[in-house]
Amino acid sequence: MSGGGALGYAHVGVLQALHEHGIEPEIVSGSSMGAIIGTIYSAGYSASEMLKICKSDKMYEIHRLIKPSFSHKGFASHKTLRKLLHDVVPHNDFEQLKRKLHICVTNIGDATYKIVNSGNLHDYVVASASIPGIFEVNSIDNGIYVDGGVMNNLPAEAIRDKCRILIGVDVVPYYEKSKIKNTTDVLIASIRTMIHGNSIAGQKLCDHLILSPAIKKYHEFNFEKFEKIYRIGYESALEYIKNNPEILKYTV
């Protein structure tokens, strides 16, 4: 599961579509928002339950998600995310999850990324979702960690050798820009180009790759559009299954 901020709500829609067709992933790997959704899914929650959690906990209100911080290492804290994790995954333990989970984090101390599947679960999920310059950096052991998507937004290699069939979901696919109107457009296009570049290797490792086109209409901070983004993910997965019926060979 790739990162992508609010666009990551499409992951929930994809999981719902897979479930309706009898496809239940056993191993999960994710970066950033993909790490968050992947963790909750690995804890045993269904897609419909995750959607309910989002609504009841108001995980679509940006002022709740990005709380001001007095730290000099980021403008916002992850208090809301930590509370959510405490509520839905109270054991805080990779080993107690119902599915095997791997999370990608970027170490800005030595310019590397690593895949983790043990240790303090909550800390690593928070680190993987810490967008540089917005959220506080996270110090874990001897590392200084930020968003996993900085270096590897689709960490498929983490589980390639553990899967018979690997399904990738990229919620930040790159679409060619025909117009650049202002400085903001330049910045966004540049960041997405970087993310696309570090996702190519992961895409090539997947047996099936589902791309969510929500990015054509929404952006990474459109959390209030979570239901529409969810729906786009759901419909894109249904369309993929329709066009690639061989994926149904792996139903449970």
Side-chain angles (χ1 to χ4, degrees), residues 39-242:
T39 296
I40 300 174
Y41 182 64
S42 296
Y45 293 88
S46 67
S48 59
E49 288 173 330
M50 284 190 275
L51 202 59
K52 290 178 182 177
I53 290 171
C54 181
K55 291 179 180 179
S56 62
D57 288 6
K58 298 183 178 180
M59 295 300 293
Y60 53 86
E61 295 182 350
I62 196 166
H63 70 274
R64 289 172 57 85
L65 298 171
I66 303 180
K67 288 184 174 294
S69 168
F70 296 103
S71 170
H72 62 283
K73 295 181 181 179
F75 294 117
S77 72
H78 263 308
K79 289 182 179 179
T80 298
L81 175 57
R82 285 191 179 276
K83 182 181 183 305
L84 173 68
L85 292 171
H86 180 270
D87 291 343
V88 300
V89 198
H91 55 70
N92 192 21
D93 185 1
F94 280 88
E95 296 301 322
Q96 293 190 52
L97 294 171
K98 296 182 179 181
R99 293 178 172 86
K100 293 294 184 181
L101 174 68
H102 298 70
I103 291 173
C104 181
V105 292
T106 297
N107 188 337
I108 57 173
D110 61 9
T112 61
Y113 72 85
K114 75 173 184 177
I115 308 295
V116 294
N117 58 10
S118 63
N120 188 307
L121 174 60
H122 294 180
D123 281 352
Y124 280 116
V125 175
V126 168
S128 184
S130 293
I131 303 170
I134 296 179
F135 290 106
E136 298 170 332
V137 299
N138 297 265
S139 297
I140 307 173
D141 297 329
N142 296 317
I144 305 172
Y145 298 104
V146 295
D147 198 302
V150 169
M151 294 194 72
N152 188 347
N153 203 48
L154 191 67
E157 82 281 7
I159 58 175
R160 174 64 278 184
D161 63 348
K162 301 174 177 63
C163 299
R164 290 180 298 114
I165 298 299
L166 180 56
I167 301 172
V169 184
D170 193 345
V171 302
V172 194
Y174 192 82
Y175 294 101
E176 185 175 344
K177 288 283 185 181
S178 58
K179 294 181 180 180
I180 297 293
K181 299 178 181 179
N182 51 47
T183 303
T184 300
D185 286 349
V186 173
L187 179 60
I188 292 174
S190 298
I191 292 174
R192 288 178 177 172
T193 298
M194 176 192 71
I195 290 174
H196 172 67
N198 74 37
S199 298
I200 293 174
Q203 290 181 353
K204 291 180 179 179
L205 291 175
C206 297
D207 298 298
H208 296 278
L209 181 63
I210 299 173
L211 305 176
S212 168
I215 196 171
K216 291 182 177 181
K217 189 172 183 179
Y218 304 108
H219 60 68
E220 291 82 345
F221 292 96
N222 276 150
F223 291 97
E224 77 284 1
K225 304 295 184 182
F226 76 99
E227 289 181 290
K228 293 182 178 179
I229 294 173
Y230 162 89
R231 190 72 192 179
I232 291 173
Y234 175 74
E235 292 174 352
S236 62
L238 290 181
E239 183 70 15
Y240 184 90
I241 293 169
K242 177 182 177 181

